[in-house]
Amino acid sequence: PNAAGDEALSVWGTELWVEAWRGRSVTPILPGSAPAMVRECLRPDISVDFPKLTEICERAAARPEEVEPAVLVLIGALGDCDAKTKLKVLTICNEMVFEQEVAAQFRRPAAREVFEPLRGFRGSELGVQGDETVRMLATEVCKTVFIQPEQQQHVQRPREEKPVRQFAALRALDALQGLGERTFRNSG
């Protein structure tokens, strides 16, 4: 298969594919764009760290037209993936949704359908702490994207909540690093 064929298959069955099938305009994923950065972070051989999270969020803020395709990549990735990828997706989502304009792009039925079940996530290869982190991040994303807007219309999150956000991201990154260390210890 060629690169173009691989690119086409990477969106098969995702909301991006459904939108294209419906005849709606779909933005191509260009190298260096927010959706391309997200897709790169989701590769199994790539670690998600603060510089990458910051780069994705800054790119999304600078290029609002890239937000929807990035969100669609994230939602599509949650459809059928392993637990480590779920943790990566939720870590990225948790950082992105603190911008109201980005959070609005997550407010779609398909997103709610994939995020809500993760609030009860258990029994994965991530272990108890990793599963707990998945549940916590899914709950935070659901709260920010779906629950708060339903309860409070037009209320902005205060900026002083950033340390809580950083704590959640640190915890997720620690879980991802711990998984890598366990995998390394178990394979050697």
Side-chain angles (χ1 to χ4, degrees):
N2 61 23
D6 292 343
E7 182 73 19
L9 289 175
S10 69
V11 297
W12 177 260
T14 66
E15 191 167 335
L16 189 61
W17 177 261
V18 172
E19 293 299 311
W21 184 80
R22 288 179 178 156
R24 295 194 176 122
S25 175
V26 176
T27 306
I29 297 175
L30 302 173
S33 66
M37 288 183 215
V38 166
R39 184 175 290 146
E40 176 73 14
C41 283
L42 298 180
R43 288 185 22 206
D45 60 322
I46 300 294
S47 295
V48 177
D49 55 22
F50 274 120
K52 286 184 181 118
L53 289 172
T54 301
E55 186 179 11
I56 291 168
C57 291
E58 286 176 354
R59 177 69 184 212
R63 301 280 179 99
E65 70 276 8
E66 294 178 4
V67 172
E68 183 177 19
V71 167
L72 293 175
V73 168
L74 289 163
I75 294 168
L78 278 175
D80 186 28
C81 66
D82 63 19
K84 187 173 180 181
T85 302
K86 286 181 186 348
L87 185 55
K88 283 182 175 186
V89 169
L90 288 167
T91 300
I92 296 167
C93 291
N94 188 57
E95 288 300 307
M96 290 182 75
V97 298
F98 282 92
E99 294 298 325
Q100 292 298 318
E101 298 78 23
V102 175
Q105 291 295 323
F106 280 92
R107 290 187 193 106
R108 51 185 77 222
R112 195 168 204 156
E113 289 171 14
V114 295
F115 286 116
E116 285 289 343
L118 294 174
R119 296 175 74 184
F121 189 76
R122 297 188 192 292
S124 80
E125 69 270 15
L126 297 175
V128 174
Q129 182 181 3
D131 289 354
E132 182 179 312
T133 304
V134 167
R135 290 191 306 272
M136 179 206 49
L137 290 172
T139 298
E140 286 299 312
V141 169
C142 286
K143 185 172 89 174
T144 303
V145 173
F146 306 114
I147 299 168
Q148 285 178 343
E150 291 170 358
Q151 293 175 346
Q152 306 169 343
Q153 293 295 326
H154 311 290
V155 176
Q156 298 258 342
R157 282 184 83 92
R159 289 290 173 189
E160 61 270 10
E161 290 188 30
K162 189 174 182 180
V164 172
R165 179 175 120 199
Q166 288 176 342
F167 173 75
L170 278 173
R171 189 169 176 185
L173 292 172
D174 285 345
L176 282 170
Q177 288 172 344
L179 178 65
E181 289 170 10
R182 282 195 304 273
T183 303
F184 179 76
R185 277 191 235 123
N186 291 338
S187 65

